[in-house]
Amino acid sequence: MQAPDPLNPRDPAGDPADGVAVAVERRGEAVVVQVSGELDLLTTPRLDDAASQALRERPSLLVLDLTGVTFLGSAGMASLVAVRQAAGDDLPIRLAAADPVVVRAMEVVGLDEEFPLYPTCEDALAG
């Protein structure tokens, strides 16, 4: 297996060892983007790619599952805002976030006003 390129966060050889793991899963009419690890300047492009993939599937609901995120930097928050803008007003987006560090970061910058927050992915799917 090829070693990941630490200077290229879009490197397909990347794995959770680079700080973040991202997966996209369809659940009925919804699409869930599950993220675990740290969302910072180097890892956010993986979230951006997954969110773009999820939006191409044209779901009726997009859930960003951040319950496994242990650090949410400003680049990660900017990525969440970009997903909201790309989705437009017609697609509901819900966030699942449990770590107090992540929830507090979102509250400090007001993202809790932009995104409904739920403690689990299942709660976010149920609404």
Side-chain angles (χ1 to χ4, degrees), residues 3-126:
D5 179 355
L7 300 177
N8 181 2
R10 294 178 186 266
D11 184 358
D15 60 29
D18 71 0
V20 70
V22 181
V24 177
E25 176 184 358
R26 182 165 277 282
R27 295 203 193 167
E29 295 297 313
V31 171
V32 175
V33 176
Q34 184 178 36
V35 184
S36 60
E38 299 179 356
L39 278 175
D40 58 25
L41 186 61
L42 293 177
T43 60
T44 299
R46 301 228 1 233
L47 170 59
D48 296 341
D49 291 344
S52 293
Q53 175 188 340
L55 292 174
R56 282 192 300 272
E57 293 188 29
R58 307 193 57 82
S60 62
L61 169 66
L62 178 61
V63 173
L64 302 175
D65 182 356
L66 307 180
T67 56
V69 171
T70 56
F71 174 79
L72 180 62
S74 60
M77 290 185 263
S79 181
L80 296 175
V81 171
V83 171
R84 170 75 271 157
Q85 292 171 341
D89 294 333
D90 295 333
L91 176 63
I93 299 177
R94 300 179 189 154
L95 267 60
D99 191 312
V101 171
V102 173
V103 173
R104 181 71 182 133
M106 293 187 66
E107 290 171 345
V108 166
V109 298
L111 285 180
D112 60 325
E113 303 282 328
E114 290 292 317
F115 298 98
L117 293 175
Y118 298 85
T120 68
C121 183
E122 288 70 30
D123 290 337
L125 286 165

